Amino acid sequence: MTPLAAEVNENLAQISNYLVYSSMAVYTLAFFAHIAEWIFGSRSKVGRTAAALTGAKAGAAGAAGAPAVQVRGKGGGTAVLDKPKVVTRSAAGTRDVPDGPGAAGGTEEGDLYGRIAVSLTALAFLIEAAGVVARAMSVQRAPWGNMYEFSLTFSTVAVGAYLILLALKKNVRWMGLILVTTVLLDLGIATTWLYTASDQLVPALHSYWLWIHVSTAIICGAVFYIGATGTVLYLFRDGYESKLAAGGRPGRFATSVMERLPSASTLDKFSYRINAAFFPLWTFTIIAGAIWAGDAWGRYWGWDPKEVWSFVTWVAYACYLHARATAGWKGRKAAYLALFAFACWIWNYYGVNILLNGKHSYAGV
């Protein structure tokens, strides 16, 4: 490499770093905008009504026996609302509960801040994506040769998937605050502990399989993360709905948050569809890795720690999908399996790469 080419690559690496830090600044602004969306949404009629409903004392309230709630409007008038009923369907563990209005709670102020948050998230995504491209140009290869580059691309793909779902008119804006928070955490870990200067790869990695195998692994991990987020919220929302159905009274804060999320049934279906749609791609990722191993090391499978935990992750997701098809394992049991599967993916990335030695250790951090 000529001195001029080396200088150009170094400048591109510095530009990449600048873009990554700039994206973190914009993600931080998006984080505060999402916070404002939730705060203003908590002041909505939905939030006040839900708090009144769960805190209302038992008493006579009409022929149906459901307590009525008075909500005071801006003009001083009041409106009487009937307590919504939770109807249990014939299938065990399912309820006919409508979706909540979202983080904004149906308020104009909350919706405005929510739109600002999405716009800032989209801007940060473009800046971070430019940083990934600049990193690729500086090393003149696929920008995922080590954990730092993998983390950058992972968070970029996760945000990109979220924005695609929004563009497709899917009801996922409730995920924005959690997504931006975890992306900031991911980038913070990457820039603080995982940073690796631009460098070339060992000869074994110089293959077109780097583009195929690692890119599909990143896509699967990012989408599995979105599915895991939906699963965690499903568990909270399901517990909330169960408490209401049993006559319990959740706290005011829990009520304000849970009432604005989609129903447990919707969150459950969302997570299942996400995981089921990308499980075949994860299967292809493992197969592609085996083929690459055959080309690089002369064997397709050697029970390397990375290979073992990739297979464990595959088995865990396969068990989850099978559980969803088994009546006795639907609902919370299947959700725990889904979270275990994603925990295996996380361990395979952080734990195996940092703590265990194997054929994949040459990538470094």
Side-chain angles (χ1 to χ4, degrees):
M1 182 181 296
T2 64
L4 178 59
E7 182 180 357
V8 170
N9 291 342
E10 179 63 25
N11 290 336
L12 286 171
Q14 294 178 359
I15 291 173
S16 174
N17 295 339
Y18 173 78
L19 291 171
V20 170
Y21 282 108
S22 298
S23 70
M24 292 176 67
V26 181
Y27 277 129
T28 302
L29 295 177
F31 169 81
F32 286 114
H34 276 299
I35 290 289
E37 178 187 17
W38 279 94
I39 290 176
F40 280 99
S42 67
R43 303 175 184 177
S44 68
K45 182 183 295 185
V46 173
R48 294 195 304 269
T49 302
L53 290 174
T54 55
K57 296 181 178 180
V69 178
Q70 290 187 344
V71 179
R72 188 174 301 278
K74 293 182 178 180
T78 59
V80 179
L81 304 178
D82 292 330
K83 180 178 180 179
K85 298 180 180 179
V86 177
V87 181
T88 303
R89 294 174 176 171
S90 57
T94 60
R95 305 180 191 90
D96 190 8
V97 179
D99 293 335
T107 64
E108 293 183 4
E109 296 90 345
D111 182 66
L112 174 61
Y113 280 104
R115 292 177 182 275
I116 292 174
V118 171
S119 299
L120 289 171
T121 302
L123 176 59
F125 163 77
L126 294 175
I127 296 174
E128 185 182 9
V132 172
V133 172
R135 177 76 176 195
M137 295 174 63
S138 70
V139 294
Q140 299 180 3
R141 57 168 171 79
W144 41 73
N146 50 61
M147 290 185 68
Y148 170 72
E149 295 172 355
F150 191 104
S151 296
L152 293 186
T153 311
F154 171 87
S155 58
T156 303
V157 174
V159 176
Y162 166 72
L163 294 174
I164 289 174
L165 290 173
L166 284 176
L168 294 175
K169 307 298 182 182
K170 302 298 181 180
N171 179 23
V172 295
R173 206 167 84 182
W174 44 267
M175 190 189 302
L177 178 59
I178 299 176
L179 177 69
V180 170
T181 302
T182 49
V183 164
L184 282 171
L185 178 62
D186 172 74
L187 292 177
I189 293 174
T191 55
T192 304
W193 291 295
L194 302 179
Y195 180 77
T196 303
S198 300
D199 198 2
Q200 294 303 312
L201 302 176
V202 296
L205 286 179
H206 285 288
S207 171
Y208 61 88
W209 285 107
L210 175 66
W211 292 90
I212 300 173
H213 170 64
V214 184
S215 64
T216 55
I218 293 173
I219 293 172
C220 288
V223 178
F224 284 157
Y225 159 74
I226 291 178
T229 301
T231 301
V232 170
L233 293 180
Y234 156 75
L235 291 173
F236 282 108
R237 174 76 188 203
D238 182 67
Y240 172 77
E241 291 179 7
S242 298
K243 190 170 185 178
L244 284 182
R249 298 177 182 177
R252 184 173 181 179
F253 176 79
T255 299
S256 176
V257 173
M258 291 296 115
E259 283 291 330
R260 285 179 277 163
L261 290 176
S263 67
S265 176
T266 298
L267 290 169
D268 186 41
K269 291 177 182 177
F270 170 79
S271 301
Y272 170 69
R273 290 170 180 171
I274 287 288
N275 291 326
F278 282 83
F279 177 74
L281 186 61
W282 181 247
T283 304
F284 170 78
T285 299
I286 296 177
I287 295 174
I291 296 174
W292 188 11
D295 290 343
W297 302 317
R299 92 298 187 268
Y300 294 101
W301 195 267
W303 298 105
D304 180 80
K306 177 71 71 172
E307 296 169 348
V308 170
W309 279 99
S310 295
F311 179 68
V312 170
T313 303
W314 183 91
V315 171
Y317 273 109
C319 290
Y320 162 71
L321 296 177
H322 177 71
R324 283 297 306 251
T326 305
W329 278 84
K330 287 183 178 179
R332 299 183 71 88
K333 291 182 179 179
Y336 292 137
L337 272 177
L339 292 181
F340 173 75
F342 184 69
C344 289
W345 193 94
I346 291 294
W347 166 256
N348 191 25
Y349 177 52
Y350 286 106
V352 172
N353 284 347
I354 296 176
L355 302 177
L356 303 181
N357 293 321
K359 285 285 190 179
H360 293 77
S361 299
Y362 53 67
V365 298

